[in-house]
Amino acid sequence: LIRIVGENGVAAFGVIMYINFIFTGILFGYAFGSSSIVSYHYGSGNEKELQNLFSKSVRIITVASIISFSLAQIFAVTLVRIFFGYSMELMKMTVSGFRLFSFSYLILGFNGYASSLFTALNNGRVSAIIAFGRTLVFQCLSILILPQIFGLNGVFSAVISAELLS
């Protein structure tokens, strides 16, 4: 970021990460909260209820992902203004980056749920592969490759790429 746009890019990305906590907290909150229910029914061998929970969870995550993405698009300016109301240049860069970044909310909830689900189903290996892949491997690869192709937008879209790959 410093190489591409300097300190303003770092500040913009930092603000995007702060705002991101709101949306990921909601999406991951469901995944983590539902895992104990899944684990209970898995332990009791109640496959019918596991299928029911899975089906409902996919619908809930789909709706929550679409709502999160939509709210991020609608309120991008308002949320960024909290941090950068004093600088139009920073506002424009951050709003543009956040609107691009927010496409990750359409996928992120499913990946978080999948990782949490496999943990609840006593399959820590698959859970770890998903979590490690999306947060470290694919994100690092994306952040190294995409900015060389797309510049600043490559930085903001690295999370989207990592979520898709995982």
Side-chain angles (χ1 to χ4, degrees):
L1 279 169
I2 286 191
R3 201 169 15 118
I4 296 170
V5 289
E7 294 147 356
N8 283 350
V10 174
F13 195 76
V15 165
I16 289 170
M17 290 295 99
Y18 289 134
I19 297 169
N20 180 51
F21 287 135
I22 298 166
F23 295 99
T24 57
I26 293 166
L27 294 168
F28 283 174
Y30 178 80
F32 299 150
S34 66
S35 66
S36 59
I37 300 166
V38 170
S39 189
Y40 172 80
H41 287 292
Y42 178 72
S44 67
N46 191 347
E47 288 186 32
K48 186 175 179 181
E49 187 55 30
L50 281 173
Q51 290 173 351
N52 181 39
L53 284 167
F54 181 76
S55 175
K56 285 180 181 175
S57 292
V58 168
R59 287 192 302 258
I60 289 168
I61 293 166
T62 299
V63 170
S65 296
I66 291 168
I67 290 171
S68 294
F69 169 74
S70 299
L71 290 174
Q73 293 294 316
I74 293 166
F75 292 108
V77 172
T78 304
L79 292 167
V80 170
R81 186 175 287 135
I82 294 168
F83 298 93
F84 291 138
Y86 61 88
S87 170
M88 194 52 116
E89 177 188 351
L90 273 170
M91 279 260 319
K92 286 174 70 175
M93 179 190 313
T94 309
V95 167
S96 173
F98 181 60
R99 285 196 166 134
L100 181 58
F101 182 94
S102 69
F103 279 91
S104 68
Y105 302 144
L106 297 171
I107 308 155
L108 181 136
F110 295 101
N111 290 338
Y113 181 74
S115 179
S116 186
L117 177 69
F118 282 108
T119 298
L121 296 175
N122 201 28
N123 192 338
R125 175 171 284 154
V126 171
S127 175
I129 289 169
I130 293 169
F132 185 71
R134 63 176 285 277
T135 58
L136 189 64
V137 175
F138 296 129
Q139 225 169 41
C140 287
L141 288 172
S142 296
I143 203 73
L144 291 172
I145 296 168
L146 294 180
Q148 293 180 13
I149 301 167
F150 302 109
L152 182 59
N153 285 338
V155 175
F156 295 134
S157 62
V159 171
I160 302 165
S161 171
E163 294 294 343
L164 280 170
L165 290 169
S166 63

